[in-house]
């Protein structure tokens, strides 16, 4: 808590004591390598690893660094004083490894702390608050590198990953600049990963199910975690097979060799081969759907469903379709996956349908050229309407009788420069 009277990190390192009870109760002792050993190593031409150890009855920290690092650690209070624990943890940017051993009392304290977090995570009503609390905490690298801490905390992160509520599983992602989130820390290659990516696959599955910026999320995976994704797909993980298929379907991968490697990975397992064949079928249907031809305007009959729309769009070519009215039908957000395949769509009427936030988020990512959108009397809320800020071509937007707030309306006006006609009657913004 930066607002209390705790000494700052700089004050601690400079030996400044605040008028409080936070006094070191345990002496720290610096164990130097013998002078003979140091002199012998200094004559070697190749780099050698040395160790500086700070030990007390409760904490044992070992820092390894190259011979180019500073040979000695001194506290700022004077050259003859021993360095404190903070100095040793921040010994040098050249540190390569660090291991921490806890004494019996400190180990029990750590175990108690993690057990409390695990207990909290078991309760559905406490989990949202716990997730939002743990998300921004800047645990130091020394804690995250502690095997027992990360292994025990993994139970809590797994509970977050299994929770279907977005306010919980979205906390797996980082919010602090320069700090990895739980998603990065427990992913293959992360400092806390010890299960070959099983928890990583669970997190990807839940995040993909609620992430409206699907292409952006897939692009991030392709750039940073493509290897682990392919490895898990090779082992038959269905989530990762779906991820690789989506990367191909959304043209996330530009490199032809990488595309062929992904295809080979998919065809190496039964589930992958089946999903890739389904992808090829969808691609053929999409090519036919987007072929130039068909009507420019289309209105579905009242009471039509998502299945009716899908059946209609699979019947021929709709590459020329610019105006689509689904007003007073029974379509839901599920039909968005069909709407995003219409390349020429400029006007979309969803008046008095059950089209909600999930569908609106998907449209905002793919139909960036949409000019007219009617959402009158739909169950959309601020959560979905805010996504419309990416649709820069919108010039007419009807949000009559929706759950639009005044703040969201002001945000949309600021981010949609071409917006000329707006209907916000019977909303908070009216």
């Amino acid at each position: 808590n930066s607002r209390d009277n705790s000494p700052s990190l700089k004050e601690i390192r400079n030996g400044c004591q605040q008028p409080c009870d936070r006094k070191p109760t345990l002496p720290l002792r610096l164990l130097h390598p013998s002078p003979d050993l140091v002199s012998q190593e200094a004559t070697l031409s190749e780099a050698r690893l040395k160790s500086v150890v700070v030990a007390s009855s409760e904490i044992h920290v070992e820092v390894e660094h190259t011979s180019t690092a500073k040979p000695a650690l001194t506290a700022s209070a004077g050259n003859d004083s021993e360095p404190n624990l903070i100095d040793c943890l921040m010994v040098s940017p050249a540190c390569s490894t660090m291991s921490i051993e806890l004494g019996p009392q400190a180990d029990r304290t750590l175990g108690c702390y993690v057990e409390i977090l695990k207990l909290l995570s078991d309760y559905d009503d406490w989990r949202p608050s716990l997730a939002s609390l743990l998300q921004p905490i800047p645990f130091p690298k020394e804690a995250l590198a502690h095997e027992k801490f990360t292994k025990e905390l993994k139970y809590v992160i797994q509970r977050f990953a299994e929770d279907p509520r977005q306010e919980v599983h979205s906390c797996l992602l980082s919010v602090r600049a320069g700090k990895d989130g739980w998603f990065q820390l427990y992913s293959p290659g992360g400092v806390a990963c010890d299960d070959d990516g099983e928890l990583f696959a669970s997190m990807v599955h839940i995040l993909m199910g609620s992430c409206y910026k699907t292409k952006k999320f897939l692009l991030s995976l392709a750039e940073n975690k493509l290897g682990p994704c392919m490895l898990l797909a090779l082992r038959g993980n269905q989530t990762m097979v779906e991820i690789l298929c989506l990367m191909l379907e959304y043209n996330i991968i530009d490199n032809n060799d990488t595309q062929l490697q992904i295809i080979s990975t998919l065809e190496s397992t039964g589930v992958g081969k089946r999903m890739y064949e389904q992808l090829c079928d969808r691609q053929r249907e999409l090519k036919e759907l987007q072929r130039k031809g068909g009507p420019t305007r289309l209105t579905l009959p009242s009471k039509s469903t998502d299945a009716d729309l899908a059946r209609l769009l699979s019947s021929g070519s709709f590459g020329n379709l610019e105006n689509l009215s689904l007003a007073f039908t029974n379509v839901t957000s599920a039909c968005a996956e069909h709407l995003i395949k219409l390349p020429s769509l400029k006007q979309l009427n969803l008046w008095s349908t059950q089209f909600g936030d999930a569908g609106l988020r998907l449209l905002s990512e793919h139909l960036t050229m949409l000019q007219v959108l009617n959402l009158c009397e739909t169950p959309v809320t601020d959560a979905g309407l805010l996504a419309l800020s990416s649709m820069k071509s919108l010039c007419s937007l009807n949000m009559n009788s929706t759950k639009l707030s005044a703040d969201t309306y002001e945000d949309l006006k600021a981010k949609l420069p071409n917006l000329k006609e707006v209907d916000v009657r019977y909303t908070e913004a009216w």
Side-chain angles (χ1 to χ4, degrees), residues 174-208:
S174 59
V175 292
R176 282 183 178 269
K179 286 288 184 179
D180 289 336
W182 303 115
F183 178 75
Q184 288 82 12
L185 293 171
Y186 283 90
S187 64
V191 67
C193 182
D194 63 352
D195 58 3
D196 293 329
E198 292 181 9
L199 178 57
F200 170 67
S202 299
M203 291 191 287
V204 170
H205 177 76
I206 191 68
L207 289 170
M208 277 295 296

Side-chain angles (χ1 to χ4, degrees), residues 362-380:
L362 193 57
L363 295 185
S364 68
E365 188 177 14
H366 294 269
L367 297 182
T368 55
M369 302 306 294
L370 201 65
Q371 298 176 1
V372 179
L373 180 60
N374 189 341
L375 299 171
C376 181
E377 297 180 3
T378 59
V380 296

Side-chain angles (χ1 to χ4, degrees), residues 407-423:
D407 290 341
T408 296
Y409 178 49
E410 293 300 322
D411 186 75
L412 288 175
K413 286 196 299 183
K415 294 181 179 179
L416 297 175
N418 296 318
L419 199 58
K420 298 179 176 62
E421 298 179 6
V422 185
D423 188 347

Side-chain angles (χ1 to χ4, degrees), residues 143-361:
L144 297 173
H146 191 276
E147 184 177 357
K148 180 177 180 179
F149 176 74
T150 52
K151 186 175 182 179
E152 293 295 322
L153 195 63
K154 179 181 175 182
Y155 176 86
V156 180
I157 306 307
Q158 180 71 56
R159 300 294 285 161
F160 293 165
E162 294 171 349
D163 197 296
R165 292 169 292 183
Q166 186 174 2
E167 65 268 27
V168 176
H169 59 248
S170 63
C171 292
L172 296 171
L173 302 173
S174 59
V175 292
R176 282 183 178 269
K179 286 288 184 179
D180 289 336
W182 303 115
F183 178 75
Q184 288 82 12
L185 293 171
Y186 283 90
S187 64
V191 67
C193 182
D194 63 352
D195 58 3
D196 293 329
E198 292 181 9
L199 178 57
F200 170 67
S202 299
M203 291 191 287
V204 170
H205 177 76
I206 191 68
L207 289 170
M208 277 295 296
S210 64
C211 180
Y212 74 91
K213 293 186 177 179
T214 305
K215 293 179 68 175
K216 185 176 181 180
F217 186 67
L218 289 173
L219 184 61
S220 175
L221 287 178
E223 291 177 347
N224 303 298
K225 300 295 179 182
L226 183 57
C229 288
M230 293 176 64
L231 178 60
L232 290 171
L234 196 61
R235 294 173 178 174
N237 185 281
Q238 184 166 336
T239 296
M240 291 305 155
V241 170
E242 294 174 356
I243 290 295
L244 295 183
C245 287
L246 284 174
M247 287 181 180
L248 295 177
E249 187 170 4
Y250 290 163
N251 295 318
I252 300 297
I253 307 297
D254 295 327
N255 186 279
N256 187 59
D257 290 337
T258 305
Q259 290 180 0
L260 294 176
Q261 189 175 354
I262 291 177
I263 294 173
S264 299
T265 301
L266 292 173
E267 292 183 330
S268 63
T269 63
V271 61
K273 187 174 182 179
R274 183 177 67 255
M275 288 190 178
Y276 179 63
E277 290 174 353
Q278 294 172 352
L279 169 62
C280 293
D281 291 339
R282 291 198 304 272
Q283 292 293 81
R284 284 191 291 268
E285 293 173 359
L286 178 62
K287 187 176 181 179
E288 175 63 24
L289 171 66
Q290 295 183 342
R291 186 168 57 86
K292 289 298 182 180
T296 58
R297 301 173 62 90
L298 184 63
T299 301
L300 256 67
S302 176
K303 307 303 180 182
S304 297
T305 64
D306 296 330
D308 296 327
L309 176 62
R311 192 177 301 110
L312 176 65
L313 294 180
S314 64
S315 64
S317 302
F318 292 90
N320 292 337
L321 187 60
E322 297 181 357
N323 188 320
L324 176 61
S325 176
L326 302 176
F328 307 105
T329 65
N330 293 331
V331 298
T332 67
S333 293
C335 76
E337 62 180 88
H338 304 293
L339 298 177
I340 62 176
K341 298 175 183 178
L342 300 171
S344 302
L345 195 61
K346 296 179 181 178
Q347 301 180 41
L348 179 60
N349 189 348
L350 295 167
W351 187 3
S352 192
T353 65
Q354 293 304 306
F355 198 89
D357 291 338
L360 206 55
R361 290 166 176 164

